[in-house]
C-alpha cells in the first residue's frame, strides 16, 4: 500500500528530487556547505547529508513546510546575491518558529525542479482528506520502524514500534493482535497487514458506543438515525436533515452504504475526526463579522518589538520576524528607528546588542507581505528615535516603497468624528507616529503646539526615558512655540493614528479627537483597568489604545492580554516570537473571522454610554450566565514528550477559562499511566461563564510527573462563542501553535442556561 499512489512520483520534478541533488546549504556569508538532498520513496520525507560526514544525516517532512520562496528572498541569500544569481537560489519556509533553510542549486533547471517539486508536494500534503492523512501517518511509522527495509516487520519490531507510537501494551494482548493481523502466517507483517493490525489497535470503543446508541442494527446509521444524532447530540436543530445527507456524501468510504443513504462506523469516525466534527464552529472560521464599524470597535492582532526573533538584549533582529508575524495575521507591527551612520535609518532595540536592520528593508518586506494573509489594514507603529534629517529619509522611503498602499490623506477629505472602518481601509498601511498639530490644521505651515523637554519636565508631563513613546515630540494645546524635533515630511504621513501622551480619561472625554491614540505600558494599563475600568471601556469605544509589555521583560516574555481585552483595548501588543500561554490566547481569539487579524468587540464594549464593568458582569443589560460542561472522553495519538527509548507519557487534560475575573478557572482530569496512544478518562469538568462574549477556553494536555513540573504535550485555545456543542474532536497544536496531526482529544460539550 503506497498511500501517495504512483501519480505524484511520476511527476518530472519529483523524479529529479528522488534521484537527489547536491545543493549548497547557506547559513551566512561565510557558511556555505554542500549537502546531498533527496526525496525518499514515501514521497514525503526529504533526506540530506554532508558528502564527507560518516553516517550522520538529517530528515524533515514536507508536511513541516509552509512554502518555497524563489530567488534572493531571505537576508542570508541577499547577502550573497553577488556570488550566486537569483535563479539558483530558493528558501524552504517551515511552519511555526522553526528556522528556514536557504539553498543554492548548481543550475537554474535544478533550482526550478526543486522549487516546483516541493510546491507540488506541499499542495498534495495540504489537500489530503482525513483517510489519506491517517494512511500516510501509518505508512510513515511503518517506514520508520522497518529498519532493514525489507517491507516486513516481525513481532519484536512491532513491539518497538508501539513504544515509538506512545503505546505501552501488555505483551500477550499485543501478540494476540499481531497473530490476528498476520493473515499470511509468516511471523511478520507486510504493510497491508500492518494497516489491518493498526486498525484493530485503534478501534475506538468510545466512538462505537455512541454509534450503537443511534444505530438500529448496530452496523450502520440510516439517514434518519444520523439526523437524530445531529439534532439531539450535536444540537444542530433544523439543518440536521440536509447536513446528514452531506456528511454521508463527504465521509462515507463505502459505496454500498452511500447508495443506501447510510453511514458505517468508519464513515462516522471519519466525520467526527474532520474539521466539521471539530469543536470550532465551521461558520466562525470564515469572515462572519460586520467589518464596517469604526476601527476602535475591533480587537486588532498586534506585535511588540516585531523586528526581534529572540530576546531584547542580544537577540537577532530580522526581516523574517516581520514575515512570520504578518503570516500569523498580525495587523499592527512595531519599528524602533535610530540614526544610522551613513544617513540611512536603522532598526534595532536601542542601547542593546541586538543586531541592526535597515528601515527601508523592513518597509520593502511590509510592502510584500502585509496583505498575504488578510486584506484589512496594517498599522505601522513607529518608535522614532531619529534626528530630523533621517526622519525625512524615513518619510521618503515610506512614500516611495509603499506608494498608494500608504494612507496619506483623509478618506473623504472630511475631519472624522469617528475612525474609518477596516472595510474602508482595506489594503492600506497606516502610520502611527507623532504629528505636528492636528488634522484640522494640517495646512498650517508653522510648527506650533510643540513643547520642549524642559517645558515638559516643568509641567511634570514627561515620561521616563525607558517609556515606549519618547517625549521628544509630545504636543500640548497651549500655543507655546519651540523648535520642532519632528520632520514635517514624516508628520504629514500620519492621518488616523496620531500618537499622543495620555492626560486622563476626563481630559480625553472633553478634548480628545478620535484619531489621537496613546500607548500604555502593561503596568499603567493594569492600574487604569483596576481604578477606572468602565471609563477605560468608554474611552476605547472612540479612540485606539496600544498596550505594550514592560521594559523589564528583557527575555521577551509576555503579559496576559485578557485583562486588556476585558476593557476593550484594541492594540494589545505581544512578543510574537515567544511561545506560551499568552500567544495561545492571542492565536485563540484571532482564530475566528478568517484569521483576518480583526475581531469585533462585544456590543457592551462598543457603546459609548456602557455601564459594563469586568468586575461586576452581573450589572450589565442582557446579563445571561451559561453553564459549560465538558466530558473529557479520550485522547488519540498524543506526541511523545521525551524521546528517550521506552519512555511513554502519563497524560492529563486541563481545561482553563480566561475572561472577566469571575470567569477565570481551571479544572483537570486525573492522569492515565503509560498511555499516550489511546488514553480514556471519561471525566466531566464544569464551569459557570458570566461573560461568554469575552471568554476564551484553553485545552491543555500535559505529561504528569509527580517529582517535577508536568511537561507540555499540546493545546488548543478558542473563543467560548465559537464552541460547537456535542461530541467533538479537539485537534491539538504544538507549543509553537502548529498542527500535530493526528493528535486529538475527544470530548462531549454541553452548554446550557445557568439558573
Amino acid at each position: 500500500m503506497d498511500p501517495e499512489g504512483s501519480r505524484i512520483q511520476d511527476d518530472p520534478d519529483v523524479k529529479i528530487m528522488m534521484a537527489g541533488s547536491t545543493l549548497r546549504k547557506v547559513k551566512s556569508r561565510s557558511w556555505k556547505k554542500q549537502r546531498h538532498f533527496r526525496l525518499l520513496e514515501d514521497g514525503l520525507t526529504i533526506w540530506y547529508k554532508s558528502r564527507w560526514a560518516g553516517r550522520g544525516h538529517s530528515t524533515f517532512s514536507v508536511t513541516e513546510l509552509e512554502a518555497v520562496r524563489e530567488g534572493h528572498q531571505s537576508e542570508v541569500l541577499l547577502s550573497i546575491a553577488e556570488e550566486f544569481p537569483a535563479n539558483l537560489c530558493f528558501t524552504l519556509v517551515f511552519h511555526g518558529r522553526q528556522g528556514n533553510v536557504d539553498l543554492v542549486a548548481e543550475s537554474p533547471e535544478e533550482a526550478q525542479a526543486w522549487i516546483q517539486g516541493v510546491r507540488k508536494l506541499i499542495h498534495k500534503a495540504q489537500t489530503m482528506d482525513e483517510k489519506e492523512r491517517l494512511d500516510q501517518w501509518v505508512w510513515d511509522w511503518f517506514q520508520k520502524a522497518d529498519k532493514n527495509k525489507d517491507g516486513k516487520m516481525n513481532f519484536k519490531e512491532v513491539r518497538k514500534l508501539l513504544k515509538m507510537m506512545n503505546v505501552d501494551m501488555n505483551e500477550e494482548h499485543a501478540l494476540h493482535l499481531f497473530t490476528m493481523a498476520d493473515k499470511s502466517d509468516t511471523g511478520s507483517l507486510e504493510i497491508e497487514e500492518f494497516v489491518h493490525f493498526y486498525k484493530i489497535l485503534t478501534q475506538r470503543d468510545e466512538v462505537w458506543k455512541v454509534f450503537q446508541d443511534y444505530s438500529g442494527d448496530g452496523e450502520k446509521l440510516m439517514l434518519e438515525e444520523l439526523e437524530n444524532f445531529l439534532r439531539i447530540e450535536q444540537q444542530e436543530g433544523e439543518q440536521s436533515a440536509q447536513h446528514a445527507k452531506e456528511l454521508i456524501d463527504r465521509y462515507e468510504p463505502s459505496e454500498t452504504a452511500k447508495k443506501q443513504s447510510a453511514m458505517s462506523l468508519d464513515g462516522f469516525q471519519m466525520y467526527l475526526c474532520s474539521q466539521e466534527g471539530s469543536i470550532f464552529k465551521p461558520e466562525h472560521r470564515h469572515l462572519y463579522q460586520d467589518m464596517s464599524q469604526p476601527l476602535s470597535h475591533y480587537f486588532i492582532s498586534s506585535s511588540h518589538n516585531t523586528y526581534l526573533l529572540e530576546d531584547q538584549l542580544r537577540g537577532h533582529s530580522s526581516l523574517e520576524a516581520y514575515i512570520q508575524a504578518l503570516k500569523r495575521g498580525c495587523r499592527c507591527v512595531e519599528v524602533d528607528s535610530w540614526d544610522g551612520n551613513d544617513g540611512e535609518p536603522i532598526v534595532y532595540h536601542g542601547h542593546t546588542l541586538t543586531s541592526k536592520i535597515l528601515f527601508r528593508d523592513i518597509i520593502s518586506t511590509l510592502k510584500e507581505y502585509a496583505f498575504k494573509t488578510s486584506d484589512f489594514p496594517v498599522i505601522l507603529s513607529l518608535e522614532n528615535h531619529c534626528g530630523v534629517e533621517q526622519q525625512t529619509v524615513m518619510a521618503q522611503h515610506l512614500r516611495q516603497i509603499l506608494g498608494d498602499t500608504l494612507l496619506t490623506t483623509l478618506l473623504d477629505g472630511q475631519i472624522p468624528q469617528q475612525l474609518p472602518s477596516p472595510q474602508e481601509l482595506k489594503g492600506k498601511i497606516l502610520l502611527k507616529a507623532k504629528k505636528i498639530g492636528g488634522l484640522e490644521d494640517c495646512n498650517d505651515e508653522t510648527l506650533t503646539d510643540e513643547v520642549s523637554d524642559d517645558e515638559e519636565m516643568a509641567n511634570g508631563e514627561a515620561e521616563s526615558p525607558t517609556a515606549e513613546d519618547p517625549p521628544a515630540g509630545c504636543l500640548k494645546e497651549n500655543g507655546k512655540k519651540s523648535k520642532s524635533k519632528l520632520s514635517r515630511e514624516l508628520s504629514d504621513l500620519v492621518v488616523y493614528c496620531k500618537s499622543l501622551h495620555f492626560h486622563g480619561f476626563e481630559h480625553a472625554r472633553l478634548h480628545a479627537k478620535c484619531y489621537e491614540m496613546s500607548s500604555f505600558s502593561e503596568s499603567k494599563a493594569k492600574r487604569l483597568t483596576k481604578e477606572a475600568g468602565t471609563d477605560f471601556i468608554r474611552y476605547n469605544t472612540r479612540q485606539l489604545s496600544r498596550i505594550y509589555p514592560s521594559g523589564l521583560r528583557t527575555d521577551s516574555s509576555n503579559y496576559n492580554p485578557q485583562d486588556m481585552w476585558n476593557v476593550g483595548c484594541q492594540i494589545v501588543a505581544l512578543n510574537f516570537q515567544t511561545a506560551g500561554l499568552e500567544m495561545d490566547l492571542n492565536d485563540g481569539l484571532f482564530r475566528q473571522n478568517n484569521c483576518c487579524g480583526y475581531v469585533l468587540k462585544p456590543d457592551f464594549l462598543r457603546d459609548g454610554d456602557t455601564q459594563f464593568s469586568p468586575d461586576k458582569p452581573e450589572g450589565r443589560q442582557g446579563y445571561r450566565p451559561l453553564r459549560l460542561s465538558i466530558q473529557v472522553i479520550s485522547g488519540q495519538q498524543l506526541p511523545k514528550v521525551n524521546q528517550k527509548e521506552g519512555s511513554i507519557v502519563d497524560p492529563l487534560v486541563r481545561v482553563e477559562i480566561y475572561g472577566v475575573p469571575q470567569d477565570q478557572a481551571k479544572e483537570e482530569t486525573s492522569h492515565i499511566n503509560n498511555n499516550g496512544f489511546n488514553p480514556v478518562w471519561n471525566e466531566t469538568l464544569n464551569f459557570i461563564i458570566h461573560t461568554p462574549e469575552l471568554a476564551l477556553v484553553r485545552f491543555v494536555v500535559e505529561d504528569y510527573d509527580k517529582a517535577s513540573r508536568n511537561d507540555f504535550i499540546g493545546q488548543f485555545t478558542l473563543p467560548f462563542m465559537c464552541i460547537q456543542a456535542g461530541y467533538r474532536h479537539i485537534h491539538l497544536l504544538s507549543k509553537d501553535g502548529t498542527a500535530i496531526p493526528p493528535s486529538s482529544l475527544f470530548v462531549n460539550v454541553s452548554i446550557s442556561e445557568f439558573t
Side-chain angles (χ1 to χ4, degrees):
M1 181 210 83
D2 176 355
E4 283 292 284
S6 57
R7 207 182 63 246
I8 192 92
Q9 268 84 342
D10 291 340
D11 182 274
D13 293 325
V14 174
K15 275 186 170 162
I16 290 174
M17 291 175 67
M18 292 181 91
S21 303
T22 299
L23 304 170
R24 270 194 179 82
K25 189 170 181 231
V26 187
K27 287 190 181 174
S28 67
R29 285 182 81 150
S30 53
W31 198 103
K32 305 183 279 275
K33 302 205 173 163
Q34 291 195 318
R35 295 283 180 265
H36 190 68
F37 279 78
R38 69 185 170 91
L39 175 69
L40 299 185
E41 293 66 32
D42 64 359
L44 261 197
T45 310
I46 293 175
W47 174 101
Y48 65 97
K49 67 172 287 190
S50 152
R51 301 165 87 180
W52 321 116
R55 297 174 53 188
H57 69 269
S58 303
T59 61
F60 56 87
S61 168
V62 170
T63 56
E64 296 169 48
L65 292 175
E66 184 180 299
V68 187
R69 292 194 207 132
E70 232 171 304
H72 298 140
Q73 287 210 52
S74 76
E75 287 153 273
V76 170
L77 290 176
L78 274 169
S79 73
I80 57 162
E82 284 166 17
E83 196 179 343
F84 297 105
N87 62 3
L88 299 180
C89 300
F90 60 100
T91 303
L92 300 179
V93 182
F94 287 80
H95 288 291
R97 294 178 174 81
Q98 192 178 334
N100 298 339
V101 173
D102 290 310
L103 298 168
V104 180
E106 290 182 340
S107 72
E109 295 70 31
E110 198 163 37
Q112 272 308 307
W114 276 84
I115 290 163
Q116 299 308 330
V118 173
R119 281 179 182 161
K120 287 169 198 167
L121 292 170
I122 290 173
H123 178 72
K124 176 92 176 104
Q126 286 171 345
T127 50
M128 279 196 278
D129 65 24
E130 297 302 318
K131 185 175 183 318
E132 287 175 317
R133 216 177 284 271
L134 194 62
D135 284 350
Q136 181 64 56
W137 190 74
V138 178
W139 171 260
D140 286 350
W141 277 113
F142 187 86
Q143 299 283 94
K144 267 184 211 157
D146 181 15
K147 291 283 186 256
N148 61 358
K149 300 285 174 247
D150 63 351
K152 296 189 183 74
M153 295 187 70
N154 61 29
F155 182 62
K156 192 176 166 205
E157 288 178 304
V158 165
R159 281 296 316 265
K160 206 166 177 180
L161 172 58
L162 292 181
K163 275 254 159 65
M164 284 161 68
M165 289 171 102
N166 228 340
V167 191
D168 192 13
M169 191 176 269
N170 162 316
E171 182 130 9
E172 212 175 307
H173 183 55
L175 184 58
H176 171 64
L177 294 185
F178 181 88
T179 315
M180 276 171 68
D182 182 14
K183 295 240 173 40
S184 54
D185 230 5
T186 54
S188 64
L189 304 183
E190 294 185 9
I191 181 72
E192 300 292 354
E193 295 172 322
F194 178 72
V195 169
H196 179 61
F197 168 77
Y198 176 82
K199 282 244 163 84
I200 331 174
L201 186 67
T202 53
Q203 269 180 348
R204 291 180 51 190
D205 289 346
E206 72 277 27
V207 173
W208 183 79
K209 281 185 186 126
V210 177
F211 184 81
Q212 290 300 310
D213 286 345
Y214 285 87
S215 165
D217 63 0
E219 294 291 318
K220 56 190 174 304
L221 288 173
M222 297 311 290
L223 190 59
E224 196 177 332
E225 293 167 342
L226 181 56
E227 277 176 39
N228 288 341
F229 169 76
L230 294 174
R231 194 180 66 255
I232 296 163
E233 300 294 348
Q234 310 298 72
Q235 299 184 18
E236 290 192 5
E238 295 308 305
Q239 72 220 46
S240 56
Q242 174 62 26
H243 199 204
K245 185 86 186 76
E246 287 168 9
L247 293 180
I248 290 171
D249 289 344
R250 207 166 300 154
Y251 299 108
E252 179 49 55
S254 150
E255 289 303 324
T256 324
K258 265 189 190 169
K259 285 199 178 84
Q260 300 175 310
S261 286
M263 188 178 254
S264 66
L265 178 59
D266 270 358
F268 186 64
Q269 190 161 316
M270 247 175 251
Y271 148 62
L272 285 176
C273 292
S274 73
Q275 286 294 357
E276 283 182 273
S278 94
I279 193 167
F280 203 106
K281 280 184 185 166
E283 63 272 24
H284 282 196
R285 283 185 183 280
H286 309 301
L287 192 70
Y288 72 100
Q289 294 184 331
D290 173 8
M291 302 307 286
S292 62
Q293 302 203 22
L295 274 186
S296 54
H297 286 188
Y298 297 83
F299 295 124
I300 303 172
S301 181
S302 306
S303 145
H304 176 63
N305 288 348
T306 315
Y307 43 87
L308 290 183
L309 274 174
E310 296 158 52
D311 70 48
Q312 299 179 12
L313 295 182
R314 292 175 305 277
H316 185 56
S317 303
S318 167
L319 299 175
E320 197 57 48
Y322 283 89
I323 297 172
Q324 287 184 14
L326 291 164
K327 281 197 311 204
R328 278 183 100 134
C330 177
R331 299 285 86 191
C332 178
V333 296
E334 185 187 21
V335 174
D336 263 27
S337 62
W338 301 79
D339 281 340
N341 297 334
D342 54 358
E344 278 295 336
I346 51 173
V347 172
Y348 77 111
H349 201 62
H351 313 301
T352 63
L353 300 174
T354 57
S355 59
K356 301 171 174 62
I357 29 185
L358 289 175
F359 176 81
R360 66 163 186 246
D361 287 348
I362 289 180
I363 304 308
S364 299
T365 302
L366 193 56
K367 167 83 170 150
E368 185 168 353
Y369 288 94
F371 303 108
K372 276 195 163 49
T373 301
S374 165
D375 296 337
F376 292 108
V378 171
I379 297 169
L380 175 58
S381 179
L382 182 62
E383 291 311 311
N384 174 9
H385 305 273
C386 291
V388 176
E389 275 178 27
Q390 290 198 19
Q391 287 180 35
T392 304
V393 175
M394 282 199 289
Q396 286 162 358
H397 287 324
L398 285 164
R399 276 192 192 276
Q400 281 164 6
I401 298 168
L402 297 179
D404 291 348
T405 312
L406 182 68
L407 187 85
T408 55
T409 55
L410 290 163
L411 284 182
D412 53 6
Q414 300 300 306
I415 305 296
Q417 292 312 300
Q418 59 175 31
L419 286 165
S421 69
Q423 187 64 42
E424 292 172 295
L425 292 167
K426 258 188 171 177
K428 291 292 184 191
I429 292 172
L430 279 62
L431 183 64
K432 169 200 167 288
K434 294 278 164 60
K435 184 172 179 67
I436 302 163
L439 294 178
E440 292 75 4
D441 49 10
C442 57
N443 300 324
D444 171 15
E445 287 304 314
T446 60
L447 302 188
T448 54
D449 296 345
E450 184 75 16
V451 293
S452 68
D453 286 354
D454 350 335
E455 286 166 356
E456 216 171 42
M457 290 294 180
N459 295 330
E461 293 294 356
E463 298 178 350
S464 70
T466 56
E468 185 206 39
D469 279 330
C474 220
L475 310 174
K476 281 180 64 185
E477 315 296 326
N478 59 4
K480 288 183 186 168
K481 296 188 183 181
S482 76
K483 186 172 172 295
S484 171
K485 297 202 179 77
L486 266 186
S487 141
R488 165 63 77 183
E489 286 86 341
L490 191 61
S491 165
D492 284 349
L493 301 182
V494 177
V495 185
Y496 293 112
C497 299
K498 171 185 171 179
S499 297
L500 202 63
H501 188 71
F502 179 69
H503 294 286
F505 294 126
E506 186 59 15
H507 182 275
R509 196 173 63 78
L510 297 171
H511 306 291
K513 313 282 193 295
C514 66
Y515 58 82
E516 295 174 337
M517 60 180 289
S518 298
S519 289
F520 305 85
S521 68
E522 62 176 279
S523 47
K524 185 168 183 178
K526 269 210 170 98
R527 194 179 75 242
L528 291 172
T529 301
K530 280 201 176 64
E531 291 170 4
T534 307
D535 289 338
F536 210 165
I537 292 171
R538 289 179 181 170
Y539 171 87
N540 283 327
T541 61
R542 273 194 81 236
Q543 287 173 270
L544 293 174
S545 53
R546 179 176 187 271
I547 318 298
Y548 58 93
S550 147
L552 301 174
R553 294 182 182 271
T554 52
D555 58 352
S556 289
S557 60
N558 280 312
Y559 55 92
N560 187 324
Q562 187 71 47
D563 304 331
M564 317 305 172
W565 290 330
N566 287 344
V567 291
C569 297
Q570 304 86 352
I571 301 179
V572 180
L574 297 177
N575 290 300
F576 269 49
Q577 69 274 26
T578 308
L581 161 70
E582 299 81 11
M583 272 309 293
D584 292 348
L585 295 177
N586 198 73
D587 287 346
L589 175 66
F590 292 103
R591 187 164 278 121
Q592 61 186 318
N593 214 28
N594 204 25
C595 300
C596 76
Y598 284 82
V599 166
L600 188 63
K601 298 196 281 191
D603 55 2
F604 54 84
L605 294 184
R606 307 193 308 256
D607 168 11
D609 301 318
T610 187
Q611 297 300 314
F612 176 70
S613 159
D615 292 327
K616 299 191 193 65
E618 64 284 353
R620 78 172 167 101
Q621 268 185 317
Y623 167 67
R624 196 171 61 99
L626 296 173
R627 179 190 296 279
L628 170 66
S629 179
I630 295 169
Q631 182 193 8
V632 179
I633 304 172
S634 61
Q636 292 73 44
Q637 287 105 40
L638 302 175
K640 287 181 74 154
V641 172
N642 193 329
Q643 290 309 322
K644 277 209 294 279
E645 198 68 29
S647 92
I648 289 181
V649 297
D650 306 326
L652 63 85
V653 177
R654 188 168 56 253
V655 177
E656 304 172 345
I657 312 289
Y658 295 87
V660 297
Q662 254 173 286
D663 286 342
Q664 308 277 1
K666 294 179 185 184
E667 295 284 331
E668 65 184 41
T669 66
S670 51
H671 67 274
I672 307 277
N673 285 326
N674 277 341
N675 187 351
F677 188 72
N678 54 0
V680 174
W681 290 278
N682 272 327
E683 294 180 38
T684 301
L685 310 176
N686 290 303
F687 303 91
I688 307 302
I689 315 278
H690 296 273
T691 311
E693 298 87 342
L694 285 173
L696 290 168
V697 183
R698 182 174 186 249
F699 294 84
V700 195
V701 187
E702 288 181 348
D703 180 11
Y704 172 76
D705 191 327
K706 63 175 183 291
S708 61
R709 246 180 92 185
N710 294 350
D711 281 321
F712 172 91
I713 293 177
Q715 68 84 29
F716 186 76
T717 306
L718 78 166
F720 175 83
M721 302 300 280
C722 295
I723 290 181
Q724 296 203 85
Y727 285 98
R728 302 291 172 191
H729 277 90
I730 295 163
H731 300 281
L732 295 173
L733 303 173
S734 70
K735 209 175 184 64
D736 255 357
T738 56
I740 38 176
S743 302
S744 61
L745 294 176
F746 185 46
V747 297
N748 188 5
V749 179
S750 89
I751 296 169
S752 55
E753 299 265 328
F754 174 62
T755 46

